[in-house]
């Protein structure tokens, strides 16, 4: 399957309803593909936030039918922060249709922070984790503490990851932190949210939409590997709580399908919900050996200008993280990188790109590999 068109809104706090983000992203994707809605045979839609904004509009597929004046099948599915990747994975599996629109939109960050944080908490396990107040920053801080005990990680390495992603976002007009670079000292001085993670180790909750048109027609960007794996919701019941088994399984599947190894990747978008998640994912995706993720960020190889830039878009940290939209936003970035039209943040001669999207605390994970034709 191929990528025929991509669209994405600016990520910010604008208080538009989710369908405005959905519409804007879709129009851009259709224009990019030189198509109209009548060329689309099916739609897969993913979103979780409308209940948080008290909207009371659950029959979204019918709402989208009206919005786009179409009667094609519309499937709604959700997998929290992993929704975009899971929706895309599903589109690749449907053989009956020539052109499928994969769409995500969230209005989220105009809620008060405590409402948004509580809503995100609903992605965690209910009986133990939620009642113990295991907010996502706390859950990830505990995982990072355990990683440090095992491998001797350093908070300074996490600051370097935040710095890299902020440097990249400053070059991305659709990122929240566009033209607003953040200095390393400011990152290190940001307040502790859940020890040892600081504010600047957390992704930024924002609103937005993204749309990808998946097609059977050959285009410049081909999907050559796709993996999806799940894991227990209770993190402490997992075999190895300091790593994401589902990333390893999804990556293994995607690399096998593509006939490639991690050394073949030129550019990657990784799910940096927290800087610690990005570091651990270097290891789970095979870009670094277990316990050596810190060496990779210190090497400079994954900064723009390095051999294999990671998160040239600015990532969830500095482009922003509109929950279900993130997985499609990653594909938007990699498509543009492979087409070679990313301006100042272009990775020179990028031919193979990878996306990695996590749902919750690692419970549903997709990895996709793309090739420039
Ligand atoms: N990075 C940089 N700046 C951030 C930020 C982040 N991650 N989060 C918030 N800010 C900024 C806001 O833009 C705002 O700036 P302004 O005053 O210039 O407008 C300021 O900090 C205060 O924002 P607010 O939302 O009130 O912060 P908060 O202290 O209530 O909450 C967090 C901050 C990080 C604790 C909260 O946003 C959080 O829990 N984030 C994690 C979200 C999450 O778990 N996502 C799912 C991952 S799987």
């Amino acid at each position: 399957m191929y990528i025929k068109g991509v669209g994405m809104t600016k990520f910010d706090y604008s208080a538009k309803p989710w369908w405005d983000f959905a519409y804007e992203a879709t129009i851009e994707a259709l224009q990019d593909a030189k198509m109209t809605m009548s060329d689309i045979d099916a739609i897969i839609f993913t979103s979780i936030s409308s209940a948080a904004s008290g909207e009371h509009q659950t029959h979204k597929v019918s709402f989208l039918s009206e919005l786009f004046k179409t009667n094609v099948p519309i499937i709604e599915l959700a997998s929290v922060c992993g929704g975009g990747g899971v929706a895309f994975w599903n589109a690749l599996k449907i053989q009956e249709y020539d052109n499928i629109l994969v769409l995500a939109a969230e209005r989220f960050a105009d809620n008060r922070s405590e409402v948004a944080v509580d809503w995100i908490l609903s992605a965690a396990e209910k009986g133990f984790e939620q009642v113990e107040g295991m907010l996502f920053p706390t859950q990830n801080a505990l995982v990072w503490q355990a990683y440090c005990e095992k491998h001797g990680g350093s908070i300074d390495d996490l600051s370097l990851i935040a710095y890299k992603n902020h440097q990249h976002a400053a070059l991305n007009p659709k990122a929240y932190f566009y033209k607003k670079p953040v200095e390393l000292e400011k990152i290190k001085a940001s307040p502790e949210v859940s020890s040892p993670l600081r504010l600047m180790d957390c992704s930024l909750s924002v609103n937005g939409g993204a749309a990808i048109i998946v097609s059977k027609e050959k285009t410049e960007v081909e999907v050559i590997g796709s993996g999806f794996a799940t894991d227990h919701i209770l993190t402490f019941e997992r075999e190895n709580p300091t790593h994401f088994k589902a990333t390893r399984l999804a990556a293994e599947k995607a690399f096998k399908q593509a006939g490639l190894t991690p050394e073949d990747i030129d550019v990657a978008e990784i799910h940096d919900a927290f800087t610690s998640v990005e570091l651990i994912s270097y290891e789970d995706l095979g870009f670094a050996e277990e316990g050596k993720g810190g060496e990779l960020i210190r090497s400079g190889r994954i900064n723009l200008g390095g051999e294999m830039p990671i998160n040239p878009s600015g990532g969830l940290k500095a482009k922003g993280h509109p929950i279900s939209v993130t997985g499609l936003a990653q594909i938007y970035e990699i498509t543009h990188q492979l087409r070679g039209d990313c301006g100042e943040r272009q990775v020179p001669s990028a031919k193979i790109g990878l996306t990695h999207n996590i749902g919750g605390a690692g419970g549903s994970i997709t990895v996709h590999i793309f090739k420039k034709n």
Side-chain angles (χ1 to χ4, degrees):
M1 295 291 263
Y2 301 88
I3 305 298
K4 177 90 179 148
V6 293
M8 192 177 97
T9 67
K10 167 99 178 152
F11 284 3
D12 57 23
Y13 299 148
S14 43
K16 294 185 279 194
W18 64 264
W19 53 88
D20 276 13
F21 293 109
Y23 191 80
E24 196 184 318
T26 299
I27 295 301
E28 187 186 321
L30 288 171
Q31 285 171 350
D32 184 47
K34 300 189 175 46
M35 287 177 143
T36 65
M37 192 45 87
S38 61
D39 298 310
I40 299 295
D41 306 314
I43 299 173
I44 303 183
F45 177 67
T46 179
S47 183
I48 64 151
S49 63
S50 62
S53 48
E55 166 204 302
H56 214 68
Q57 180 71 76
T58 51
H59 200 182
K60 296 200 195 67
V61 301
S62 178
F63 189 94
L64 288 170
S65 161
E66 181 172 327
L67 183 72
F68 293 129
K69 309 283 180 279
T70 181
N71 299 103
V72 300
I74 303 178
I75 301 160
E76 184 186 355
L77 59 81
S79 202
V80 292
C81 311
V86 173
F88 185 77
W89 182 89
N90 272 273
L92 301 177
K93 297 284 169 283
I94 300 176
Q95 298 298 323
E96 191 180 336
Y97 301 110
D98 290 339
N99 297 302
I100 301 176
L101 170 69
V102 191
L103 178 62
E106 305 276 15
R107 173 184 170 168
F108 188 61
D110 49 320
N111 291 300
R112 283 171 298 123
S113 184
E114 59 268 33
V115 176
V117 168
D118 183 60
W119 184 246
I120 291 173
L121 183 62
S122 70
E125 191 276 335
K126 198 169 170 51
F128 295 93
E129 295 187 340
Q130 288 190 26
V131 292
E132 291 296 334
M134 189 93 107
L135 298 170
F136 272 90
T138 308
Q139 195 271 341
N140 284 280
L142 289 173
V143 168
W144 178 245
Q145 285 174 14
Y147 177 97
C148 290
E149 267 179 37
K150 209 161 146 187
H151 299 298
S154 156
I155 190 77
D156 287 346
D157 291 339
L158 300 190
S159 298
L160 285 178
I161 292 174
Y163 181 62
K164 164 179 74 69
N165 292 349
H166 273 281
Q167 293 283 103
H168 294 176
L171 304 173
N172 181 358
K174 292 199 172 176
Y176 181 80
F177 278 96
Y178 176 51
K179 288 190 175 169
K180 290 183 270 190
V182 178
E183 290 313 313
L184 188 57
E185 290 319 308
K186 194 170 170 199
I187 288 167
K188 289 186 174 179
S190 66
E192 224 169 50
V193 169
S194 200
S195 175
L197 299 185
R198 305 175 179 128
L199 178 73
M200 282 292 175
D201 291 305
C202 303
S203 54
L204 180 78
S205 302
V206 290
N207 300 328
I212 309 290
I213 298 170
V214 176
S215 177
K216 285 185 184 166
E217 186 189 322
K218 187 170 179 184
T219 69
E220 212 179 339
V221 179
E222 184 174 358
V223 191
I224 57 169
S226 173
F228 175 23
T230 55
D231 203 352
H232 301 196
I233 192 160
L234 271 173
T235 37
F236 61 75
E237 287 212 330
R238 296 182 193 162
E239 285 163 32
N240 178 358
T242 60
H243 281 82
F244 297 107
K245 183 178 180 183
T247 293
R248 293 179 176 195
L249 293 172
E252 195 183 328
K253 185 82 194 281
F255 278 116
K256 193 169 173 200
Q257 208 175 76
L260 297 175
T261 66
E263 289 73 39
D264 296 312
I265 302 298
D266 299 316
V267 54
E269 284 282 307
I270 290 185
H271 194 98
D272 57 324
F274 296 88
T275 48
S276 52
V277 175
E278 180 169 319
L279 187 141
I280 288 169
S281 301
Y282 301 155
E283 301 173 16
D284 291 334
L285 289 164
F287 297 139
E289 283 172 33
E290 185 161 336
K292 306 279 188 200
E295 285 180 19
L296 184 62
I297 182 65
R298 271 175 264 137
S299 73
R301 283 183 53 228
I302 54 176
N303 291 35
L304 273 173
E307 286 158 46
M308 185 198 55
I310 288 182
N311 287 330
S313 71
L316 288 63
K317 171 71 213 62
K319 177 180 62 188
H321 180 29
I323 310 296
S324 309
V325 181
T326 280
L328 301 186
Q330 295 174 327
I331 296 169
Y332 174 92
E333 176 70 15
I334 291 298
T335 299
H336 280 294
Q337 287 288 349
L338 297 186
R339 287 178 181 170
D341 57 11
C342 283
E344 281 185 285
R345 65 180 199 289
Q346 179 63 45
V347 175
S349 47
K351 293 207 167 40
I352 305 284
L354 176 145
T355 59
H356 163 248
N357 184 205
I358 301 183
S364 56
I365 300 185
T366 49
V367 173
H368 287 97
I369 301 175
F370 303 82
K371 178 176 131 229
K372 180 187 178 77
N373 280 319

